[in-house]
Structures are given as structure tokens and as C-alpha cells.
């Protein structure tokens, strides 16, 4: 196979977090009724000088923001401001088969906004109502009980909040052959016991939930808005919040957040304000990139960085944007005799060593997935990483894209097994590049800068080698005799899609392989850590009337995959806030 073919092949595989789930297992759920959804209005509909004030203004209608807004609206007047559009009627969001097309769409109104960390790893962040749940791979798995204890959550409320989400939007997958092979391979390789179908985080091998239903239709956090009170909940789309407004009058002990400034889809500026109740709050749920970015733009952060961008300092806090982490992922491509059926992540191996093993497959059957235009963030750019930076032009990318059209479909036969490490000790930071909220800040994750992370990656690759040697995987190879690790490592290096320079010893040194082929599984988190930027209740330290509820408060990503816990946290914090204000009368 030509090396460029392998690159494309790998990307097709990578983008495979792309392919449709098939049927679901067990009983089919009653469809969750969305008839109670509040109207989804464009931000331009917000009247100039609008006199309405709110108990809560939530910035970011994402994975945490939607369940939070729905819950608070049961008793209070809530304004939810989301910079992206509606997920409804957008086929790239709603259908799993279009996952990769959505992810590669570079248009300014795409639900996915690509960014490249300074490490050279291509990444993506959501820009749509429903947030990450509209562009992700759908795998649903709860945080471990030790994680819940560590963060200090009320276990009883956690155990009520997870099912609140699950009853509405989560299903069991009917396990696909590649996922069944991984299950058997994991067990034969000693990642035991088999824990069956479960949302729980338990050592061994299991099958988790999914937010895709049996037809491959995606259910998202936006659906959870239907659980709110539509009379109390105003949702504005294409509302990009660029500043939190503070009352810093002299005599105040702390600056108080009182409102926000946002821009609508036509670029017109608006303001929205809280009412005068002392408990009213702005809650930022803009995600691990968007939340630290907005705090910085609003004057909360390291004062020298703020001054560099001429941002008036509201509060000096050197920790805003610090402690950013992304769980490094490395993948091994495994060619097979016949094309495996398409599958996203369904099975996971949870090892005692803090390494998770997952897999996906099925990129050969869909003519669309081979021939579709992936845009600038596609395999073409991965191939560009193999040529000198000055030659990485758009023309070169287009040439690669054209060549891809001529690839025989046979080269897309196979699947891949990936490993990612839990709680990376390597951390980085986020800094503003400019003051335009629409632009990505510069993010650095420093993958594998901590030796323990590298050791765990090597352990993960060795675990994949053990899986590869099992009968189950030998049977899948062209001659039934199995594949050598050297061969699959070689293919995986050549097919890699990050922008990190490769080395000649990549297949001899697993450490070098890990460093050079690191990619993301999009579980980045941090930037507003508890005790540094927010308190135990996620109130921003040093100011009043401002909270953060999203993945930016985490020091480690929960569970094998975070969305379950992030949605749960939105519901959990909503109920907690209601109970704090209303006591038992909250009735939730
Ligand atoms: P988000 O869900 O991103 O919400 C932030 C919201 O704020 C967005 O809607 C954004 O548009 C909005 N926003 C940002 N800035 C502003 C602003 N200034 N003004 C107004 N609005 C703003 N997890 C899993 O568990 N399983 C998976 O299979 C999985 N696969 C993934 C695949 C991909 C491609 C990605 C990107 C993620 C994946 N994840 C997965 C991770 C998971 O989806 C995220 O960790 C989670 O969605 C983050 O939730 P959040 O609430 O912190 O942020």
C-alpha cells in the first residue's frame, strides 16, 4: 500500500468515530418527547434596550449548559445564550454517518470549530446548541465512584441526576462484530472480568451506552431543554458572549457580575442583565476552551496577559487558563481480510494501570466516506505534516484530496484499536491570541511531558499487542495467521494525522511511537480549577454573582469518556442551586 494511501486510510479510521451505530440492544425506549422545547430564537430577535432581566444568564448551551438551564427554569427566569445554531434539521449533527463531515466542516457556522494545539495535534470544539453532544462519538459511560467522592459531590443527588439524563437520551448499542472482537480480545489478553452492559465505571471489559438510537439518530443535550419550563426559559442562538459586565463601584468588597454583552448573527451588539436579587448569577458553561477564554476577555486572569491585550483588569488571578489537559490517544490500525461492519466506540477495557482501550471500525462500505470532501482539517493536512512547513500549501492539500478520490476501496478494510490514558499528569495552558471571542485561544497540552504518562502509553500499546496476538484477532487477518506488531506499528506511523515530526525509530521505540503519533480523543478539560479559579461550589473566586459549570473545572476527565458526567453535572448543579435557594420547597 502506498504511504499516502495509508495516511488517508488512517484518517478515514480516525474520522471513524464517524460511522453509524447499528441496532440497540434490549428494549427500545419510548421516544423522548421534544414538544416542550422552548422556542429557539436567533440572537438578532433580542430587542434593543430590552428591559427584561433574569435570575440566571447561562453562557453556552452545551453539554452542561442545557441540563442546567432546563433545571433552573423550573423555578426561575433563565436566559441561555449559545454562540452556535440549532442542531435540529442539521443532518451532519443528527446522523452518525455524517459525523466526519460535520467534524471537517470548516465553515464559520459549522457546529464544529477546529483548532490545532501548539503541540501540533488537530482538535475540535463544539459551536452548536447541545455543544459536544452534537459532534461527539456518542459513547456514554459514567464517572467512577472514586471520582465522585474526590470532587465531593452528594452521591444521592448524583445517583438521581445520572438517570435523569439516561431516561431521556441514552440507549444500549447492539454490539457490532469489531466491538465483539475487541471484547473477546480484551478478555483473552487479561483485561477481565467481563462486566456486561453497564454505564458504571468498573475495572475489566464492558459495553457502555450511546446517545445514538437504533436508526443512527443522535439525541443531544439540547433535547434536555424540553425538561425545563418553556415559559421561564429564553434560548438565543448565534449569541456570542464577548464580555461579562461587572459592577465594580467603589465601596463594593468584590466586583459583582451583573450582565453580559453579546453579538448576534448579524454582528450587532446587545446586552442582557440580571435582576437585582442578590442570588441571581451569570453561569459560564462555555466549555474548557470557551470558559477560560471568556473570563480572560472579561478581565479575570493573569494581569500581565490581560494588559498585553489592553483588557481592563477586574481581578488578577494567575490560574485562569492554567492546568489544561487532554488525555493523549494513540491508535493502532489493523487491516482485516474482509471489511468489518461500521462501529463507533461501544466496548471499553478499563485497566488497573489507568489505561483505557477502545476501538472503532467500518470505513470501507460507504462510498460517501471515501469520496467526500473533508476540508482543510482532513487527512490531507495529516499528509502535509510529512513535508516541510513552507510547502504545506492549500494547493498541496487539494492535490492530496484529489488523489484520494482514486484510492481503491480495498485499502479501507480494517479497524483500529486505540488506547488513551486516564488523568494525564502532563498539563499545559491556554492564552489569548487576540480579543475576538470567535477566534480560538492558543492551547498547549504538553502531551507526554510527564514520564508516567509516557509509561502508561507504552503499557497501552503493549496491551494492544497482546490483543492482536489473541486467536480472535489472528482470525481477522488476511491469511488467518495474525499480523506482526512491527507491521501494524509501521502502518500506524505512516498513517498518522498530527503535525508532529516523525522519527526513524518510531517503530523500534514505543516511547517515540507514543510521542510522535499522539492524537486526541477530545476529552480536554481544565483551565478553571477548583481552589484556583472557582470554589467548591464553582463560584468564581474573588468576585460575586459568577459561577462556572462545565469541563473547565475538572482536574481530570471523568470516567472513560466524559459526556455522561458533564450532562449529569449540569442537572446536579441546577438541583443544588434550586435547593440552596428554595430548600425543600424546590421539589426537585
Ligand atoms: P461544550 O459541550 O463544548 O459546551 C460549550 C458550549 O458553549 C458550546 O455549545 C459552545 O458553542 C458554547 N460557547 C462557547 N463560547 C461561547 C461564548 N463566548 N458565547 C456563547 N456560547 C459559547 N465524550 C464522551 O463521553 N463520549 C464520546 O464518544 C465523545 N466523543 C467526542 C468526540 C468529539 C469530536 C468531541 C469534540 C468530544 C467528544 N467527547 C466525547 C467529549 C465530550 O463531548 C465533551 O467533553 C463535552 O461535551 C464537553 O462539555 P462542556 O459542557 O464542557 O462543553
Amino acid at each position: 500500500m502506498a504511504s499516502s494511501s495509508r495516511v488517508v486510510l488512517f484518517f478515514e479510521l480516525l474520522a471513524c468515530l464517524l460511522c453509524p451505530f447499528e441496532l440497540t440492544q434490549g428494549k427500545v425506549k419510548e421516544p423522548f418527547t421534544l414538544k416542550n422545547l422552548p422556542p429557539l430564537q436567533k440572537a438578532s430577535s433580542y430587542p434593543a434596550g430590552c428591559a427584561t432581566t433574569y435570575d440566571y444568564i447561562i453562557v453556552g448551551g452545551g453539554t452542561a449548559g442545557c441540563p442546567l438551564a432546563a433545571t433552573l427554569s423550573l423555578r426561575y427566569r433563565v436566559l441561555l445564550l449559545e454562540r452556535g445554531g440549532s442542531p435540529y434539521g442539521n443532518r451532519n449533527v443528527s446522523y452518525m454517518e455524517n459525523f466526519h463531515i460535520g467534524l471537517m466542516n470548516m465553515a464559520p457556522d459549522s457546529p464544529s470549530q477546529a483548532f490545532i494545539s501548539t503541540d501540533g495535534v488537530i482538535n475540535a470544539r463544539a459551536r452548536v446548541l447541545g455543544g459536544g453532544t452534537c459532534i461527539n462519538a456518542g459513547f456514554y459511560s459514567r464517572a467512577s465512584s472514586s471520582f465522585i467522592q474526590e470532587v465531593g459531590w452528594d452521591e444521592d443527588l448524583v445517583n438521581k441526576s445520572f438517570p435523569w439524563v439516561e431516561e431521556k437520551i441514552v440507549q444500549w448499542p447492539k454490539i457490532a462484530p469489531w466491538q465483539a472482537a475487541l471484547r473477546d480480545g480484551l478478555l483473552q489478553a487479561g483485561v477481565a472480568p467481563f462486566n456486561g452492559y453497564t454505564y458504571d465505571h468498573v475495572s475489566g471489559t464492558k459495553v457502555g451506552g450511546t446517545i445514538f438510537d437504533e436508526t443512527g439518530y443522535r439525541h443531544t443535550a439540547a433535547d434536555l431543554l424540553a425538561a425545563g419550563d418553556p415559559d421561564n426559559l429564553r434560548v438565543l442562538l448565534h449569541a456570542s458572549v464577548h464580555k461579562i459586565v461587572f459592577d465594580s463601584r467603589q465601596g463594593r468588597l468584590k466586583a459583582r457580575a451583573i450582565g453580559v454583552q453579546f453579538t448576534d448573527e448579524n454582528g450587532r451588539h446587545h446586552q442582557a442583565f440580571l435582576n437585582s436579587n442578590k442570588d441571581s448569577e451569570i453561569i459560564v458553561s462555555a466549555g474548557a476552551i470557551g470558559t477560560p477564554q471568556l473570563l480572560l476577555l472579561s478581565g479575570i486572569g493573569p494581569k500581565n496577559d490581560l494588559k498585553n491585550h489592553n483588557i481592563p483588569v477586574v481581578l488578577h488571578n494567575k490560574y485562569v487558563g492554567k492546568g489544561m489537559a487532554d488525555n493523549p490517544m494513540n491508535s493502532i490500525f489493523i487491516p482485516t481480510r474482509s471489511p468489518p461492519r461500521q462501529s463507533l466506540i461501544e466496548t471499553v477495557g478499563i485497566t488497573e494501570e489507568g489505561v483505557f482501550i477502545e476501538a472503532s471500525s467500518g470505513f470501507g462500505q460507504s462510498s460517501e466516506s471515501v469520496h467526500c470532501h473533508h476540508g482543510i482539517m482532513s487527512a490531507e493536512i495529516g499528509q502535509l505534516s510529512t513535508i516541510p512547513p513552507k510547502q504545506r500549501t492549500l494547493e498541496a492539500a487539494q492535490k492530496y484530496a484529489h488523489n484520494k478520490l482514486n484510492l481503491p476501496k480495498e485499502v479501507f478494510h480494517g479497524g483500529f484499536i486505540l488506547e488513551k490514558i486516564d488523568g494525564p499528569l502532563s498539563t499545559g495552558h491556554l492564552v489569548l491570541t487576540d480579543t475576538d471571542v470567535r477566534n480560538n485561544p492558543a492551547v498547549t497540552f504538553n502531551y507526554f511531558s510527564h514520564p508516567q504518562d509516557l509509561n502508561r502509553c507504552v503499557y497501552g500499546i503493549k496491551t494492544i499487542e497482546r490483543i492482536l496476538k489473541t486467536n480472535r484477532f489472528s482470525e481477522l487477518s488476511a491469511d488467518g495467521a495474525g499480523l506482526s506488531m512491527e507491521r501494524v506499528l509501521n502502518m500506524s506511523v505512516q498513517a498518522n494525522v498530527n503535525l508532529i515530526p516523525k522519527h526513524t525509530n518510531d517503530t523500534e521505540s514505543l516511547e517515540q511511537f507514543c510521542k510522535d503519533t499522539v492524537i486526541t480523543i477530545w476529552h480536554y478539560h481544565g483551565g478553571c480549577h477548583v481552589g484556583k479559579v472557582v470554589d467548591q461550589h464553582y463560584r468564581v473566586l474573588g468576585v460575586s454573582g459568577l459561577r462556572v459549570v462545565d469541563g473547565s473545572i475538572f482536574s481530570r476527565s471523568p470516567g472513560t469518556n466524559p459526556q455522561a458526567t458533564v450532562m449529569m453535572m449540569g442537572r446536579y448543579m441546577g438541583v443544588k442551586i434550586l435547593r440552596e435557594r428554595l430548600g425543600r420547597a424546590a421539589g426537585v
Side-chain angles (χ1 to χ4, degrees):
M1 190 190 300
S3 73
S4 65
S5 309
R6 289 189 198 119
V7 175
V8 176
L9 167 59
F10 183 75
F11 189 79
E12 292 288 347
L13 291 170
L14 175 68
C16 100
L17 296 171
L18 320 181
C19 314
F21 274 107
E22 310 252 336
L23 299 168
T24 54
Q25 189 246 8
K27 76 178 164 85
V28 174
K29 288 187 174 170
E30 287 295 315
F32 175 54
T33 171
L34 295 179
K35 65 176 191 291
N36 212 32
L37 266 185
L40 306 180
Q41 298 169 324
K42 287 186 175 169
S44 56
S45 68
Y46 198 72
C50 178
T52 312
T53 56
Y54 297 89
D55 296 289
Y56 294 97
I57 298 176
I58 299 177
V59 180
T63 310
C66 287
L68 176 66
T71 304
L72 290 174
S73 75
L74 295 174
R75 290 304 178 96
Y76 292 102
R77 191 140 179 78
V78 177
L79 175 66
L80 177 62
L81 299 169
E82 166 53 45
R83 68 181 183 143
S86 169
Y88 302 106
N90 184 334
R91 294 184 59 83
N92 288 350
V93 168
S94 295
Y95 294 101
M96 184 191 286
E97 64 202 9
N98 291 339
F99 168 89
H100 57 309
I101 300 172
L103 210 51
M104 300 311 148
N105 178 358
M106 298 295 291
D109 61 349
S110 167
S112 168
Q113 181 179 13
F115 69 98
I116 302 178
S117 70
T118 64
D119 316 274
V121 173
I122 299 167
N123 214 316
R125 55 190 287 230
R127 182 172 48 197
V128 59
L129 186 72
T133 64
C134 296
I135 63 167
N136 72 18
F139 188 62
Y140 182 95
S141 188
R142 294 180 180 188
S144 64
S145 43
S146 61
F147 179 95
I148 308 255
Q149 281 157 15
E150 267 166 41
V151 294
W153 286 336
D154 165 352
E155 288 180 47
D156 184 49
L157 183 51
V158 166
N159 290 333
K160 288 184 175 128
S161 301
F162 271 124
W164 183 88
V165 173
E166 286 150 12
E167 284 155 12
K168 296 171 180 66
I169 61 166
V170 187
Q171 318 263 332
W172 296 114
K174 182 175 180 189
I175 190 165
W178 186 255
Q179 301 291 329
L182 178 69
R183 176 199 60 202
D184 299 346
L186 278 163
L187 293 171
Q188 285 178 25
V191 186
F194 180 55
N195 295 306
Y197 284 71
T198 178
Y199 299 142
D200 291 341
H201 188 94
V202 269
S203 285
T205 293
K206 71 164 198 172
V207 177
T210 172
I211 55 173
F212 290 103
D213 69 17
E214 64 268 33
T215 66
Y217 184 85
R218 183 194 290 273
H219 298 263
T220 76
D223 298 1
L224 301 175
L225 292 172
D229 180 345
D231 295 332
N232 266 346
L233 178 53
R234 181 165 201 173
V235 181
L236 294 182
L237 303 177
H238 307 293
S240 276
V241 177
H242 53 267
K243 193 175 175 189
I244 300 161
V245 180
F246 291 94
D247 178 355
S248 309
R249 277 175 299 182
Q250 288 199 337
R252 275 196 172 280
L253 269 169
K254 292 173 173 181
R256 175 168 177 75
I258 54 168
V260 294
Q261 295 178 348
F262 63 96
T263 314
D264 67 25
E265 69 279 12
N266 302 320
R268 294 220 341 255
H269 290 279
H270 302 265
Q271 300 198 88
F273 289 98
L274 296 173
N275 58 28
S276 56
N277 192 304
K278 68 173 180 35
D279 291 324
S280 298
E281 288 182 336
I282 311 285
I283 305 181
V284 188
S285 295
I289 310 292
T291 291
Q293 179 189 30
L294 184 60
L295 292 188
L296 292 167
L297 290 173
S298 306
I300 299 182
K303 61 179 179 222
N304 289 340
D305 293 357
L306 301 178
K307 282 181 186 158
N308 286 341
H309 290 284
N310 295 321
I311 299 169
V313 179
V314 173
L315 180 80
H316 166 65
N317 183 335
K318 64 181 182 183
Y319 296 113
V320 176
K322 300 296 187 303
M324 299 292 301
D326 190 22
N327 304 68
M329 176 170 105
N330 293 76
S331 302
I332 300 289
F333 170 63
I334 299 166
T336 55
R337 184 173 13 186
S338 49
R341 207 171 80 195
Q342 294 181 323
S343 70
L344 279 176
I345 298 165
E346 297 170 1
T347 301
V348 58
I350 301 175
T351 70
E352 299 283 0
E353 286 72 13
V355 176
F356 305 136
I357 311 286
E358 298 175 349
S360 58
S361 64
F363 29 81
Q365 302 93 330
S366 155
S367 55
E368 188 181 48
S369 76
V370 175
H371 294 290
C372 74
H373 173 56
H374 283 155
I376 191 73
M377 299 305 294
S378 71
E380 292 77 49
I381 208 153
Q383 293 174 62
L384 292 179
S385 70
T386 62
I387 61 174
K390 280 190 181 164
Q391 292 169 36
R392 292 177 200 170
T393 61
L394 191 58
E395 289 71 32
Q398 279 165 345
K399 190 170 149 221
Y400 283 122
H402 178 76
N403 289 345
K404 193 171 71 165
L405 298 180
N406 303 324
L407 288 173
K409 279 192 182 184
E410 290 69 35
V411 303
F412 295 95
H413 288 183
F416 72 114
I417 304 182
L418 56 96
E419 61 92 20
K420 75 153 196 168
I421 65 167
D422 184 19
L425 299 170
S426 312
T427 59
H429 53 267
L430 172 154
V431 292
L432 295 177
T433 51
D434 59 29
T435 54
D436 187 341
V437 73
R438 292 169 300 181
N439 296 338
N440 289 313
V443 191
T444 303
F445 295 116
N446 289 321
Y447 299 103
F448 298 126
S449 57
H450 196 289
Q452 280 185 35
D453 293 349
L454 198 54
N455 291 344
R456 285 191 290 163
C457 177
V458 170
Y459 176 86
I461 301 292
K462 286 183 174 165
T463 307
I464 296 177
E465 184 174 10
R466 293 208 309 275
I467 295 168
L468 199 64
K469 284 182 178 155
T470 60
N471 299 342
R472 194 68 163 85
F473 274 85
S474 297
E475 286 162 10
L476 298 171
S477 65
D479 58 5
L483 290 156
S484 76
M485 192 60 182
E486 195 191 343
R487 184 167 165 222
V488 294
L489 283 178
N490 199 30
M491 291 175 79
S492 303
V493 172
Q494 296 200 47
N496 189 259
V497 292
N498 68 27
L499 304 186
I500 298 169
K502 306 294 177 278
H503 292 81
T504 48
N505 65 340
D506 275 333
T507 56
E508 285 142 34
S509 157
L510 290 185
E511 283 85 359
Q512 198 65 51
F513 176 87
C514 286
K515 286 196 232 173
D516 288 356
T517 66
V518 63
I519 47 176
T520 181
I521 192 163
W522 307 284
H523 297 170
Y524 49 82
H525 52 279
C528 296
H529 283 177
V530 177
K532 303 267 169 64
V533 177
V534 296
D535 69 13
Q536 281 291 337
H537 306 285
Y538 311 144
R539 294 193 183 100
V540 176
L541 293 163
V543 296
S544 64
L546 185 61
R547 245 188 248 245
V548 170
V549 178
D550 61 24
S552 67
I553 57 115
F554 292 138
S555 302
R556 65 192 297 155
S557 181
T560 59
N561 302 66
Q563 70 166 346
T565 309
V566 180
M567 282 189 277
M568 186 285 294
M569 175 172 67
R571 168 66 180 176
Y572 176 98
M573 286 306 296
V575 173
K576 264 211 107 153
I577 292 170
L578 290 185
R579 286 183 183 173
E580 276 161 19
R581 285 188 72 167
L582 298 164
R584 280 167 185 250
V588 280

